[in-house]
Structure formats: C-alpha cells, structure tokens
Amino acid sequence: MLTKREELFGGTPDEYLSHKEKYENSTRKAVILFSLLRKIQEENNTDLTNYRNLLSGVLGASISQDGSPFGLHYIMFMPVFMSQADEEQQERWLHRALNCSIIGSYAQTELGHGTFIRGLETTATYDPSTQEFVLHSPTLTSYKWWPGGLGNTANYCIVIAQLYSKGECHGIHSFIVQVRDEDTHMPLPGIKVGEIGVKMGLNAVNNGFIGFENVRIPRTNMLMKHAKILEDGTYVKSKNSKLIYGAMVFVRVVIVFDSVNYLAKAITVATRYSAVRRQSQLKEGEPERQILDYVTQQDKILTAIAGCFAMKMNARMLWDTFNVINDQLHKGNMERLGELHALACCLKAISTSDSSLFTARCRVSCGGHGYMVSSTLPATSALTTASCTYEGDNTVLLLQTARFLLKTWRQIDTGPLTPTVEYLKTVSAPGFSYKWENSIEGIIRGFQIVSMKKISSCLNLMTAKVMSGMSQADAWNTISIQLVSAGESHCRAIVISTFHEDMSKAMRSMSASLAEVMGQLVELYAVYWTLERLGDLLEYTSISGADVVKLRSWYEELLRKIRPNAVGLVDAFDIIDELLQSTLGAYDGRVYERLMEEALKSPLNAEPVNQSFHKYLKPFMQGKL
Ligand SMILES: CC/C=C\C/C=C\C/C=C\C/C=C\C=C\C(=O)SCCNC(=O)CCNC(=O)[C@H](O)C(C)(C)COP(=O)(O)OP(=O)(O)OC[C@H]1O[C@@H](n2cnc3c(N)ncnc32)[C@H](O)[C@@H]1OP(=O)(O)O
Ligand SMILES: Cc1cc2nc3c(=O)[nH]c(=O)nc-3n(C[C@H](O)[C@H](O)[C@H](O)COP(=O)(O)OP(=O)(O)OC[C@H]3O[C@@H](n4cnc5c(N)ncnc54)[C@H](O)[C@@H]3O)c2cc1C
C-alpha cells in the first residue's frame, strides 16, 4: 500500500509519459493534493488574505513543474468569484467551488485576442422574454483559447463576453457558464470544448478551447457585484468600469509571489550543484575547484539569490498595498486604483522577467547536466518564460505603468502624490540637487532620478510630436520603447528602495552575523543593477568613470563575501526534495548517483536491444534498405 507521499511523488517520471498520460497522472495526483488542501480550506473562513495563503500553498506545493489541471480553479475561477459575484451568487456557487464539488476555469483570452480585451468577440446577448443571456462565438477567432483546466477538467467556467442588451453593447462582462454535465462530464449542448495541445511547458495545466453556439444561460449567471442587467434588460453600470479588471490585479499580485517561488527552486538547484560540481584547476597541481569558486559562476548565481530576496520583500509590499487599496475600493474610494494597477503591472512584469532571466542563467550555469529534464531547470525555465506572457504580456503591462506615470507627471504640481510615486516630487523639487555617491542611498536616489527624467522626457516628446501634428496614438506608439523603459526604471527604483528599507527594518531583529549577510545581499542587488543600467545613470546622473571602477570593485568584493554563505542562503528556502524534484539540487548532494538512477528509469533502458535495431538499423547497416 503506497503512502500519500509515494502516491504523490512516486511512479513513472512525467517526462516519460505521453501528453495524455501526463494529464491523467496529474489529475490523479491533483485529487490527492487538493483533498488535503480542501481540508485546510474548510478550517479557514474565505477572504482574500486566507485565500492568498491557500493559493501560495497550492502553487508552492505544485507537485509538478508542469502545473496542475486544478490550477485555474484556484488561481482565477475563485478569486474572480470573490471579486465579481454578488452575495446571492457567492452563496449559490462559492461554497461548491471551495469544496471542489465543481471545478472552474477562467475563459477570457480568445484565439484572436489576448491583450486587447475590449476587442474580445464572444457575445452575451440578453433576451428579456426568457430572462436569459445567449452566449455565442461568432467567428473562429472568438473561440476562447488558453483557459487552464478547460480542456478536460473543468465543468464550469467564467466567460468574459461583450454584453448586449436592447441592441446596445455595454462592453466586456463576466458570466458563469456550466460547460459539462456534472454527472456525465459530457459537454453541454451548443458547446464545443477541447484541449489545445502540447505547449513549451506547463503541460499538466490542461489548457483548453471553447466555442458557444447560441448557448442560453440565466440572467443571474452574469456576475453582478458591480454592473447589473435587470429583468427587463435595463443595464445598471458599475460605479467604476475598471472594477471588472479587479481579479487580474489580484492574480498579478499572486504571480509576483510565484515568480519568487520558481526562482527559489532554480537557485537552490544551481547553488547546491555548484557546490558539489568540481571542474578545472584554478592553480596547476591543485585539486579541481568547486565551480562556485569561479567568480563568473558567482556572478550568475549570487545575483539571482539577491534578486530572489529582493522580489520576496517587494511581493510582500505589493500584497500589503493591495490589501490597503482593496479595502478602500470596497468602501467606494477609487482614488488609488490606478496606482495599484500600475504597481501590480510593473512588479508582475519585472518579477517574471527577472525570474525568467535568472532561471535561464541557473540552467546554463549547470552545464550539460542543467539541460537534463531530471535537473528540473528546463521545466522551471519554460514555466518562468510563460509567466512573462500570462496574466498580461509584460511589455503591455509596462506600458500600462507608463500610462499612469505620465498621467501622474502631468499632475505633479496639483497636490500630494500617492506613496509609490511621491519620490517624483522629491527629486524634481526646485532646488533639489544630487551628486552621485557610491552608496545604497546614492544608488536609490540615482534610480529615482533616472525614472523621473525618463517620464519627463517621454511627456515632452509626446507633446512635441502631437504639436507637430502627429496623433496622440501615433506619438504614443513612436516613443513606446522609451515608455516601457520608463516603466521599468520606475519599478527598479521601487524594488531597490523597498528591498533596502524593508530589509533594514528586518535586520534590527537579526543576529549581527545574519544581518551582515542580508545587508550584503541588498548591496549586491543594488550594485548589480547599477552596473546593468549604467547607460541610464551616465545619461541622467553625475556618475563618473571613476565611480564605475569603484562600483566594479565593490561588486567583486561582495561576491567574495557572500560565497561562503551561498548554500546556507538557499537551504533557508527549505524546499523539500520532493518538491524540488531535481537530480542536481537534492539535499544530500548525491548528484551523479541520482543522474544515473533517473536515467535508468528511461523506457529505452528496459531492454538491452531496442526493437528498432531489428526493424531498421540492422537492415540499413546491411545495405538492405
Ligand atoms: C497566477 C499564476 C500562478 C502560478 C502559475 C501556475 C500555473 C500557470 C498557468 C497558467 C497561468 C494562470 C492563469 C493565467 C490567466 C490569464 O492569463 S487570464 C487572461 C489575462 N489577460 C490579461 O491580463 C489581458 C491583458 N490586457 C489588459 O489588461 C488590458 O487589455 C490592457 C492592456 C490594460 C489594455 O486595456 P484597455 O485598452 O482597455 O486599457 P487602456 O485603454 O490602456 O486603459 C483603460 C483604463 O483602464 C485602466 N485599467 C486597465 N486595466 C486595469 C486593471 N487591471 N485594473 C485597473 N485599471 C485598469 C487603465 O489604467 C486605464 O485607466 P485610465 O488611464 O485612468 O484611463
Ligand atoms: C501558460 C499560459 C496560460 C494561460 N492561461 C490563461 C487562462 O487560463 N485564461 C485566459 O483567459 N488566458 C490565459 N492565457 C492567455 C494569456 O493571458 C495571453 O496569452 C496574454 O494575455 C497575451 O495575449 P496574447 O497571447 O494574445 O498575445 P498578444 O497580445 O497578441 O501579444 C503578442 C505581442 O504583441 C505585443 N502587443 C500586443 N498589444 C500591444 C500593445 N497595445 N502595445 C505594444 N505591444 C503590443 C505584445 O507585447 C507581444 O509582444 C494563458 C497564456 C499562457 C502562455
């Protein structure tokens, strides 16, 4: 009789399963894992705070780098319900979703549209004679495409569609739709649903497609916490049209936490392997060195560790900011919604692009063995690159942040600014002067000045182009590279300052030795990004060539200081071997034995001579083919 742990983590490795077997195996594991999580959930009331903790548990405990067919049920279906459904609807469905007696998905993206959601083609037309909506996919491009779990798992989904009533289009709204029979799991009439096929990664998420052929749903299936349709078809608009976007903000906040978790796995593997792997002699006649002793290896890995700690602290700041502003939104105060959206956009974009960049570096830092699926680095790389796309393409999200920053800059002299942008006032105040200094505070100030000057420059460029006769839209597109760069600079200034401030507070309750190491990580992160963004700093601050020489020495000194604590820092993530699932990163360091153990599980090692020898090779080698 297998233990739960053996059931979850044993069996044929996923990499040797077919696409279909992988899904079936993931579903088998998911029901084991989520039965346990369901018990936890039943013991806690359901608000967004508890929910995020549960979600972190779900995602952190994702037992496969390929994700889970239940992922979307937790990641989006339920959060959207909590933010878009009215009390009656929550009463009717949320408990069933929480105890998994229904499994949901979130169907927004279509074959033809992902970013431009105002261009979505699926329609929901209200029929007052029957008090129903008629859901319809008018074109192939209107088919929903990507919703996780929709292929074979979910029996309900939230569909985002253009709402029509009394001949008028009211834009996109959310609807809950039953897609499969709860007993037979057969697709309901008028519904064409299936799975989208093999992807670069996340092949257990069961992403699907769905098309509607005049499918009727009750009026009360429109999620009506904000906007409503009355029985006679009268449309009651939301207090704020942007509230429909609320769930995307929440999920972006979750993604920042998640990007930290994925990066933590990758650097745990790469760091431990770099301590085990010995390669080349630093000095003739000496034993081969741990590759972690090579400064180029430290440059790849220790900066990733610092980035992980930095983003963890920023994820917490974002979550706290989300809670504060979400409470205000619930009380009808929309003042900081734009700031929250801009912050969630840029932190989602920067956390996922950094996580993708550093995970890829971890992969190559492990050489050939890092290219083995059994190292788990390829899957983590595939996963982190996906996070640069899902929940909003990173470029598009940074443009959203830039849009908010330009709006803020236009109003810079009209009154106080909200917390995440008040630095713009400080560094642009009359009489403010700043001379570059090689210190944490000096670096933070430098990044804030770069951000402010980029925003100011973008606005001046936009104004000049419009004055020259260019349309606002063309001017925006023409300078969009600089707009994205302004969004990134703003975010980097926030990440460095938050890391420094929050870590400084945390260090007050640490032992001197731990505080010293944490302080080194903050410095390493700040100096690394200073060297990475030298062009901006040379353009907008008084940093000199001599300063850069000293920065490089400072950087190399920090690598030397942090090296002895590298393994301890990743051990502190405390990721158990079963979740790490890595031949290179296991706690016991038996890398070579594990590589061989995993290789022997390959079906191609089941017999000494594969059948293709007799069928193909032998006749070929004998010239008979
Ligand atoms: C979570 C993953 C965790 C773990 C991983 C495990 C497994 C991984 C497996 C899968 C991933 C999981 C789920 C994935 C789900 C999805 O991908 S769901 C689909 C997500 N899609 C998007 O995010 C679409 C992105 N596009 C947009 O958000 C918008 O189209 C837009 C880019 C913002 C542009 O829209 P629009 O043209 O209408 O906007 P603008 O005209 O530019 O601005 C209009 C005003 O609206 C404000 N706005 C826009 N969005 C928001 C928002 N979200 N919140 C608040 N306000 C918003 C914008 O600021 C403008 O305001 P104004 O300046 O005052 O006018
Ligand atoms: C693993 C995975 C899981 C997903 N799960 C779900 C899900 O469960 N539910 C769901 O609804 N969706 C899901 N998605 C879809 C995802 O939300 C979209 O892929 C994402 O929103 C990007 O849209 P798109 O794919 O249409 O790319 P596009 O928007 O077509 O982007 C393609 C390129 O065009 C550029 N571009 C687009 N618009 C602009 C602009 N205005 N300005 C400048 N450049 C622009 C982008 O920067 C990008 O480089 C998932 C996607 C992935 C990869």
Side-chain angles (χ1 to χ4, degrees), residues 145-177:
W145 185 276
W146 277 113
L150 188 59
N152 310 82
T153 316
N155 50 9
Y156 283 81
C157 78
I158 286 168
V159 176
I160 311 300
Q162 302 287 357
L163 189 161
Y164 286 83
S165 180
K166 298 182 177 181
E168 187 183 349
C169 180
H170 297 284
I172 56 169
H173 289 74
S174 310
F175 303 83
I176 180 169
V177 184

Side-chain angles (χ1 to χ4, degrees), residues 59 67 72 75-76 106 108-109 114-118 202 205 207 242 245-246 248-249 251-252 254-255 258 262 337 341 383 390-393 396-397 400 403 407:
L59 299 169
L72 256 292
I75 292 166
M76 294 217 66
Y106 181 79
Q108 173 175 297
T109 304
T115 289
F116 186 55
I117 52 184
R118 283 184 291 138
L202 288 168
V205 171
N207 299 91
K242 298 164 192 164
Y245 294 130
M248 282 191 276
V249 177
V251 175
R252 287 167 188 155
V254 169
I255 288 174
D258 227 53
Y262 293 130
L337 176 59
H341 168 51
L383 200 160
Y390 60 62
E391 209 49 57
D393 162 82
V396 164
L397 297 186
Q400 283 293 298
R403 177 183 173 128
K407 229 169 109 172

Side-chain angles (χ1 to χ4, degrees), residues 330-402:
H330 282 307
K331 293 167 188 154
N333 174 1
M334 301 291 166
E335 186 198 335
R336 293 187 67 191
L337 176 59
E339 179 193 18
L340 174 61
H341 168 51
L343 185 64
C345 281
C346 69
L347 275 173
K348 183 271 179 185
I350 297 305
S351 65
T352 53
S353 53
D354 284 3
S355 187
S356 182
L357 168 76
F358 285 121
T359 298
R361 276 195 196 156
C362 286
R363 207 257 359 108
V364 293
S365 73
C366 294
H369 299 331
Y371 198 66
M372 293 296 296
V373 168
S374 69
S375 75
T376 204
L377 290 169
T380 307
S381 229
L383 200 160
T384 49
T385 188
S387 65
C388 297
T389 298
Y390 60 62
E391 209 49 57
D393 162 82
N394 284 354
T395 301
V396 164
L397 297 186
L398 283 171
L399 286 169
Q400 283 293 298
T401 300

